[in-house]
């Protein structure tokens, strides 16, 4: 049996609950319409018996935050709560029937939010549905609790079948919501098992209302009235006997009543009932099922493979045309066929389980065919997830893979919401699971989603070969979706292998195929082209085509805004746009874009390993530029936790280069060289990666006092990267004693007019050093002042720190701008009280760079209090009272 959402197929094939507006939440994290039946309060059958003692007990739900109705299957829990709710129309009630299909934390909370909306609870825009079916940020329960706690009247939230919620983290978040929503929330749990909540705490505080199996059991008086509702007038002894045998079990009593209704001797029939499970099954099959005509029996057996179903789906599975009338009659007669609203039915779970067992015995081999029929019907109705579930249950992998590929849903392997579900589903597809191109394409996608480039590429080649063989009479039109899927995976393989030309070819092929596919299909899957553009942008970035990369990545970042399915490619595209800003020397802009990518990750509930990690890499690079080295190390460590299908050469080269620059900033040139020495394996050489690697190696040589070795590396910098690498190359020429060549290189690259502040500050410092060597102190001072002003505006400290000791005289204000210095007392400046320690000198050096106390502490890996102690000692030894005086005094004494 599949737990897929068959209930979204109504008699008319209607699926959607409203227009696709992700902010208002009509779509779940899988991108599918919310099932309205899960928010419907079940309607009790006409034979339902209202039991006042239980209704009065349930009134405690209005006085305690938590109410639990815990009983076995068929104990009457759901109908009890549904009847109680129906009897109190003045209450604001939100009803949610939980489900096992994709019931991760994100799916659970998305449905809970939609249940509140359906129940009339307005939710503000900052409480958005999660995009990831498996995860949710703790911020969502916190925001929801803050909202509910302000309500004048509490909302009653009923979670039916709560035993299906088995994740401890989901239960913990629900407990947090309940504790912090007081007094605006009353939670009612309907469950077969003990929920994963700290019930002992609620009991001890008197905040729990409980109804359990013993209380749910029918008393003899209640059982007698139930039998009367079925038209049976039994003796007190017969009623007591059936209550004893069923132990007051509601489902058992109803089974007895249904079987005895038309029996010649109802009391004799009831005496033969036994209460153990096997006897219940035998009794149900022998008495209840046998009461139906052969056609109805066959219908019940066949629909037992379905979870929720409308008449249309039931007709498709059974091969008949009158399912609507039969289902309505069975519901009216309380034959364990429940109407859950909107023309959708389901079987009582115990009844369905027994029927499936009987189906396998009576019709061996038929179950896969029934799943196959359900899959075809659901695929026609556009209910893809349910169709895939039944196709997999039938083990018809050709159909299941084709359904996924033809719907252009192949990208869901990579976009997060349905990735885990698809991976588990198709992991059961063996080597012989279908001979067409679609199964091979799905195998390729599954391997690539796990980072298996070689295996994925091999399967992709096989899919291409089989596509040619399977071309139909319509030619390309018949295989357009398959070819489109091949193009998507080709672009991904090209991205992962560093083959930009192949990525361009793949995107051109996809664009040419667009006209062969329905526009509605393309609109339904915005993640397809979001992924394609993201792959293209990253491949262009590797190739050094920065303008082309920015164009493709910008389009990817703007595709399907707010749609859960496009959250991951949008996040990755934004992060790589931030990386482009870093490469062009715009750290402030890069930081803003990277934080926008992080916000996309947080809003959509994407966990760190599922995201790209590039935004953290960018923030680490910015932290190095600002000399926030501890923070840079932390960010760099987390940047490696990324989606396997996004670990491409751009990410690997970027991590190596940022790590190397961090080592250089820490005075570890050997480690910097080792960070970039292995290089990154790729089909094509990346000009920017090659140039940046050469400059890092040259910087390591300079740090170790080998300027000539550094200059020898300059030919490794490709001409195409001359502008963006010009400053680094000019610094090497300057260190090698060729200042004129350094300035000429900067002039040719027109660095000042095109690059960002991280580049222009360094360019100004190179020109200042050249002027200093030429003896032009005014020009040097002017250039240093410009560099310092721009660096201060961007918070850049690394360019000044790496300039060297020559810059120190120029960091003091020019004489004409200084205030007159009062004459010192006779005897000259006060002497040092005692020598400064090495750590006190370290603190002073960072004071001279205008670093804050917190930044000094992070840079030196000590506490803020330790820095303050060093400062206090330094002030005392220098006979000063302020930072500026300490820096000036230290320079006078040649301590800096």
């Amino acid at each position: 049996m599949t737990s897929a959402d068959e209930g979204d197929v109504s008699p008319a094939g209607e699926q959607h609950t409203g227009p696709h507006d992700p902010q208002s939440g009509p779509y779940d994290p899988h991108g599918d319409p919310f099932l309205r039946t899960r928010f419907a309060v079940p309607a009790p059958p006409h034979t339902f018996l209202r039991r006042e003692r239980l209704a009065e007990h349930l009134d405690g739900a209005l006085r305690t935050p938590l109410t639990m109705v815990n009983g076995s299957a068929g104990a009457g829990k759901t109908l009890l709560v549904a009847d109680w709710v129906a009897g109190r129309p003045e209450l604001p009630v939100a009803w949610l029937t939980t489900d096992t299909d994709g019931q991760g934390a994100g799916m659970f909370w998305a449905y809970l939010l939609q249940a509140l909306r359906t129940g009339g609870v307005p939710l503000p825009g900052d409480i958005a549905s999660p995009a990831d079916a498996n995860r949710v940020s703790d911020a969502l329960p916190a925001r929801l609790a803050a909202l509910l706690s302000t309500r004048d009247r509490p909302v009653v939230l009923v979670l039916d079948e709560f035993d299906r919620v088995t994740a401890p983290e989901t239960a913990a978040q629900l407990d947090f919501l309940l504790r912090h929503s007081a007094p605006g929330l009353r939670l009612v749990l309907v469950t077969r098992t003990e929920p994963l909540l700290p019930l002992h705490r609620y009991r001890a505080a008197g905040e729990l209302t409980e109804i359990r199996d013993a209380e749910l059991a029918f008393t003899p008086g209640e059982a007698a009235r139930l039998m009367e509702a079925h038209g049976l007038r039994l003796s007190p002894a017969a009623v007591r006997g059936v209550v004893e045998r069923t132990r007051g079990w509601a489902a058992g009593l109803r089974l007895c009543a249904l079987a005895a209704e038309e029996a010649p001797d109802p009391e004799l029939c009831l005496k033969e009932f036994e209460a153990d499970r096997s006897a219940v099954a035998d009794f149900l099959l022998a008495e209840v099922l046998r009461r139906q005509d052969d056609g109805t029996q066959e219908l019940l057996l066949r629909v037992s493979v379905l979870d929720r179903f409308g008449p249309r789906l039931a007709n498709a599975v059974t091969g008949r045309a009158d399912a609507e009338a039969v289902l309505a009659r069975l519901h009216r007669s309380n034959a364990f066929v429940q109407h859950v609203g909107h023309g959708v039915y389901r079987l009582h779970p115990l009844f369905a389980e027994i029927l499936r067992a009987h189906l396998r015995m009576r019709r061996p081999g038929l179950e896969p065919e029934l799943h196959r029929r359900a899959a075809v019907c659901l695929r026609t109705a556009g209910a893809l997830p349910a169709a895939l579930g039944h196709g997999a249950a039938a083990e018809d992998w050709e159909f299941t893979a084709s359904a996924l590929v033809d719907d252009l849903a192949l990208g869901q392997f990579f976009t997060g919401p349905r990735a885990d579900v698809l991976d588990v589903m198709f992991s059961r597809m063996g080597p012989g699971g279908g001979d067409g191109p679609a199964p091979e394409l799905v195998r390729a996608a599954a391997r690539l989603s796990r980072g298996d480039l070689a295996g994925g590429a091999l399967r992709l080649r096989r899919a291409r070969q089989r596509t040619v063989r399977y071309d139909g009479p319509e030619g390309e039109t018949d295989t357009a979706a398959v070819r489109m899927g091949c193009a998507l995976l080709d672009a991904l393989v090209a991205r992962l292998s560093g083959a930009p030309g192949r990525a361009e070819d793949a995107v051109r092929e996809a664009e040419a195929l667009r006209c062969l596919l329905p526009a509605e299909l393309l609109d339904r899957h915005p993640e397809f082209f979001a992924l394609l553009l993201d792959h293209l942008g990253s491949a262009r970035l590797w190739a050094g085509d920065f303008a082309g990369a920015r164009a493709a990545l910008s389009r990817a970042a703007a595709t399907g805004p707010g749609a859960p399915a496009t959250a991951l490619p949008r996040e990755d595209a934004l992060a790589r746009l931030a990386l482009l800003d870093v490469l062009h020397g715009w750290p402030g802009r890069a930081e803003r874009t990277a934080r926008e990518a992080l916000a996309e990750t947080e809003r959509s509930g994407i966990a760190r390993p599922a995201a790209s990690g590039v935004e953290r890499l960018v923030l680490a690079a910015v932290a190095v530029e600002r000399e926030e080295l501890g923070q840079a190390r932390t960010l760099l460590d987390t940047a490696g936790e990324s989606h396997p299908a996004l670990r491409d050469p751009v990410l690997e080269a970027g991590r190596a280069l940022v790590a190397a620059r961090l080592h250089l900033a820490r005075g570890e040139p050997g480690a910097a060289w080792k960070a970039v020495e292995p290089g990154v394996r790729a089909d094509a050489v990346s000009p920017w990666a090659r140039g940046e690697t050469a400059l890092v190696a040259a910087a390591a040589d300079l740090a170790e006092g080998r300027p000539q070795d550094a200059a020898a590396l300059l030919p490794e910098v490709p001409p195409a990267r001359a502008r963006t690498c010009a400053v680094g190359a000019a610094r090497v020429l300057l260190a090698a004693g060729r200042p004129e060549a350094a300035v000429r290189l900067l002039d040719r690259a027109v660095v000042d007019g095109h690059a960002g502040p991280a580049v222009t500050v360094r360019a100004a410092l190179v020109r200042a050093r050249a002027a200093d060597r030429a003896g032009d102190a005014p020009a040097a001072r002017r250039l240093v002042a410009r560099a310092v002003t721009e660096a201060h505006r961007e918070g850049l400290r690394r360019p000044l720190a790496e300039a060297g000791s020559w810059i120190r005289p120029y960091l003091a204000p020019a004489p004409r701008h200084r205030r007159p210095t009062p004459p010192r007392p006779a005897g000259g400046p006060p002497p040092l009280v005692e020598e400064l320690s090495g750590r006190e000198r370290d603190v002073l050096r960072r004071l001279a760079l205008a670093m804050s106390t917190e930044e000094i502490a992070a840079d030196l890996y000590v506490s803020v209090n330790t820095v303050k102690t060093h400062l206090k000692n330094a002030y005392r030894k220098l006979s000063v009272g302020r930072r500026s005086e300490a820096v000036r005094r230290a320079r006078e004494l040649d301590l800096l």
Side-chain angles (χ1 to χ4, degrees):
M1 177 181 179
T2 180
S3 58
D5 300 335
E6 296 94 344
D8 56 359
V9 181
S10 66
E14 179 69 17
Q15 288 180 263
H16 298 266
T17 60
H20 188 167
D21 179 4
Q23 296 305 317
S24 63
Y27 279 59
D28 69 19
H30 288 167
D32 302 318
F34 283 110
L35 299 177
R36 293 175 295 175
T37 53
R38 289 179 59 183
F39 312 123
V41 180
H46 72 279
T47 55
F48 175 79
L49 177 68
R50 180 179 179 82
R51 297 187 277 172
E52 291 298 335
R53 64 181 177 88
L54 294 180
E56 291 174 3
H57 194 163
L58 263 181
D59 285 339
L62 301 178
R63 299 185 293 272
T64 60
L66 179 60
T67 297
M68 180 181 66
V69 182
N70 187 340
S72 59
K77 307 178 296 295
T78 298
L79 292 180
L80 167 66
V81 178
D83 177 66
W84 177 76
V85 167
R88 285 159 180 78
E90 76 282 359
L91 292 177
V93 175
W95 185 287
L96 171 61
T97 301
T98 60
D99 204 338
T100 55
D101 182 35
Q103 190 61 75
M107 182 68 79
F108 172 82
W109 283 99
Y111 263 92
L112 189 148
L113 293 177
Q114 188 64 13
L116 289 171
R117 295 187 188 98
T118 304
V121 179
L123 299 181
D126 64 337
I127 301 181
S129 293
D132 190 329
N134 299 311
R135 304 169 185 88
V136 70
S137 167
D138 289 338
L140 191 151
R143 291 182 185 136
L144 183 57
L147 171 72
L148 294 176
S149 64
T150 62
R151 289 182 59 87
D152 295 328
R153 283 202 311 161
V155 60
V156 177
L157 173 60
V158 180
L159 298 182
D160 191 19
E161 300 183 14
F162 188 72
D163 46 280
R164 296 186 175 192
V165 178
T166 58
E169 59 270 24
T170 302
Q173 289 172 329
L174 188 63
D175 178 50
F176 175 93
L177 173 68
L178 183 58
R179 285 188 289 112
H180 294 278
S181 296
L185 177 65
R186 295 290 183 263
L187 180 63
V188 179
L189 302 182
V190 183
T191 177
R192 296 184 188 179
T193 60
E194 201 79 353
L196 298 175
L197 292 176
L199 299 180
H200 61 280
R201 189 178 69 224
Y202 290 98
R203 287 194 191 101
E207 296 178 338
L208 175 63
T209 298
E210 293 183 80
I211 297 178
R212 291 183 173 270
D213 252 330
E215 192 173 359
L216 289 167
F218 274 67
T219 65
E222 291 168 345
R225 294 203 305 275
L226 178 65
M227 295 299 168
E228 290 175 2
H230 283 267
L232 300 172
R233 294 189 178 274
L234 306 175
S235 67
V239 172
R240 284 195 301 272
V242 75
V243 170
E244 288 174 4
R245 291 182 177 91
T246 62
R247 299 184 179 93
W249 179 46
L253 288 170
R254 288 191 172 89
L255 285 172
C256 291
L258 288 169
E261 277 180 349
E262 299 179 6
D265 188 343
E267 292 200 8
L268 178 63
C269 175
L270 294 175
K271 286 180 182 179
E272 296 174 355
F273 181 86
E274 295 294 338
D276 63 277
R277 186 177 179 85
S278 61
V280 170
D282 292 342
F283 183 86
L284 189 153
L285 294 173
E287 301 296 337
V288 178
L289 191 62
R290 188 180 299 168
R291 289 181 56 231
Q292 310 298 331
D293 59 70
D294 291 344
T296 303
Q297 288 187 39
E298 194 68 23
L299 180 144
L300 288 170
L301 288 172
R302 292 179 180 233
V303 299
S304 68
V305 302
L306 308 173
D307 184 11
R308 295 179 178 87
F309 49 90
R312 176 183 175 187
L313 182 57
N315 284 334
V317 170
T318 60
R320 55 196 298 162
D322 60 345
E324 184 170 11
V326 175
L327 292 173
R329 174 174 56 80
L330 289 170
H331 170 65
R332 287 193 302 272
S333 63
N334 198 28
F336 286 84
V337 176
Q338 302 169 350
H339 182 243
V340 294
H342 307 289
V344 177
Y345 297 84
R346 69 175 178 181
L347 299 177
H348 185 283
L350 179 60
F351 190 26
E353 184 180 340
I354 295 171
L355 286 175
R356 284 194 298 276
H358 195 60
L359 172 69
R360 296 174 191 129
M361 179 181 66
R362 186 188 289 188
R363 301 281 188 272
L366 180 61
E367 192 171 357
E369 173 59 25
L370 298 178
H371 281 297
R372 191 175 294 108
R373 293 181 187 179
V376 172
C377 176
L378 290 162
R379 182 182 178 186
T380 303
L384 180 66
L388 295 178
H390 282 288
E395 296 191 354
D396 187 343
W397 299 113
E398 186 73 48
F399 169 88
T400 309
S402 296
L404 184 74
V405 173
D406 290 348
D407 201 70
L408 286 191
L410 197 66
Q412 292 181 0
F413 268 104
F414 310 97
T415 52
R418 293 193 65 85
D420 293 342
V421 175
L422 292 177
D423 190 52
V424 171
M425 178 185 296
F426 285 102
S427 65
R428 295 155 43 201
M429 180 172 63
D435 191 41
E440 280 300 313
L441 200 54
V442 169
R443 293 186 184 99
R447 282 162 175 75
L448 290 172
S449 71
R450 296 191 290 267
D452 180 4
L453 178 58
L458 175 62
R459 295 290 186 179
L460 179 57
R461 286 195 296 272
R462 291 180 182 174
R464 284 279 191 191
Q465 294 166 358
R466 295 184 182 186
T467 301
V468 174
R469 191 173 69 199
Y470 272 73
D471 269 346
E474 298 295 327
E476 277 198 356
T477 304
D478 280 357
T479 56
V482 175
R483 293 176 186 275
M484 190 76 96
C486 289
L488 176 65
L489 298 190
D490 264 329
L492 175 57
V493 169
R495 168 192 183 147
L496 296 178
S497 57
R502 184 175 175 183
E504 299 282 356
D505 292 341
V507 174
R508 277 194 292 270
E509 179 184 13
E511 291 288 353
L513 290 168
R514 290 186 75 151
C515 62
L516 300 177
L517 294 168
E520 181 272 337
L521 183 62
L522 296 169
D523 292 340
R524 194 163 69 238
H525 291 289
E527 77 278 0
F528 190 95
F529 273 91
L531 285 167
L532 200 63
L533 290 167
D534 188 39
H535 298 337
L536 177 63
S538 188
R540 285 176 174 175
L541 200 163
W542 179 250
D545 178 10
F546 289 170
R550 186 174 293 278
L553 293 171
S554 296
R555 287 178 61 195
T559 301
T566 60
L568 182 59
R570 286 199 314 270
E571 174 263 342
D572 186 55
L574 285 169
R576 288 167 195 269
L577 287 169
L579 181 59
L580 280 171
D581 287 334
V582 165
L583 293 173
H584 283 101
W586 296 94
R589 193 164 70 189
E591 181 184 31
R592 289 190 295 274
T593 307
R595 295 201 180 281
E596 186 181 350
L598 283 174
E600 183 73 36
T601 301
E602 181 180 353
R603 193 198 71 80
S604 303
I606 300 174
R608 182 176 296 169
S612 71
V614 178
E615 62 269 52
R616 292 176 177 83
L617 178 65
V618 168
L619 293 175
V622 174
V624 171
E625 288 292 281
R626 294 173 178 169
E627 287 281 287
E628 297 165 348
L629 305 186
Q631 183 180 359
R633 180 73 267 171
T634 301
L635 288 164
L636 195 58
D637 290 341
T638 60
E641 302 174 12
S642 58
H643 193 295
L646 300 179
R647 294 172 191 161
D648 60 359
V650 171
L651 175 62
E652 298 306 319
R655 289 189 73 244
L657 289 167
V658 175
R661 296 196 182 281
L662 177 58
H663 286 304
L664 288 172
R666 286 179 165 176
E668 302 163 350
W673 170 250
K674 288 181 181 178
V676 296
E677 184 181 20
V680 177
R681 294 180 58 184
D683 291 355
V685 175
S686 171
W688 70 266
R690 177 183 172 189
E692 296 289 347
T693 300
L695 290 176
V696 165
D701 285 337
L702 289 179
E704 293 182 335
R706 298 191 300 272
Q708 298 307 320
D709 290 347
L713 291 169
L714 291 183
E716 293 293 315
V717 180
R721 290 287 300 157
R723 177 176 295 165
T724 51
C725 293
V727 175
R731 287 185 64 232
V732 174
L733 291 173
L734 192 63
R738 299 167 58 190
E740 296 85 358
V743 172
R744 284 198 302 271
L745 177 58
L746 294 180
D747 290 339
R748 287 198 304 272
V750 199
V751 169
D752 294 351
H754 295 273
V759 176
T760 57
V761 167
R762 287 182 170 88
L765 292 175
V766 169
R767 294 180 186 274
R769 179 55 171 153
D772 176 70
R773 286 192 173 183
D776 189 353
R781 185 176 299 280
R782 184 174 63 254
L783 288 163
V784 169
R786 190 175 83 188
V788 168
T789 299
E790 193 167 0
H792 179 72
R793 185 166 52 243
E794 285 284 332
L796 302 177
R797 297 189 183 90
R798 183 64 197 154
L800 301 175
E802 69 188 10
S805 60
W806 67 269
I807 198 174
R808 291 173 185 165
Y810 297 106
L811 291 175
R816 64 178 180 274
H817 296 301
R818 288 180 179 170
R819 294 178 180 177
T821 304
R824 289 195 179 119
L832 284 175
V833 175
E834 60 181 283
E835 288 295 322
L836 271 66
S837 68
R839 186 58 88 183
E840 288 162 358
R841 291 192 182 207
D842 289 340
V843 171
L844 278 177
R845 291 190 193 99
R846 285 157 178 79
L847 274 188
L849 294 173
M851 294 176 71
S852 68
T853 305
E854 291 76 12
E855 291 168 336
I856 295 173
D859 198 33
L860 294 177
Y861 298 95
V862 297
S863 69
V864 172
N865 286 335
T866 300
V867 173
K868 290 180 178 178
T869 300
H870 289 317
L871 284 173
K872 182 178 178 180
N873 292 336
Y875 291 170
R876 177 178 56 82
K877 294 176 181 180
L878 293 170
S879 302
V880 298
R882 294 188 300 177
R883 288 181 170 224
S884 59
E885 294 173 350
V887 172
R888 178 180 56 77
R889 181 84 173 99
R891 286 188 177 131
E892 288 176 352
L893 295 171
D894 222 10
L895 297 176
L896 293 177

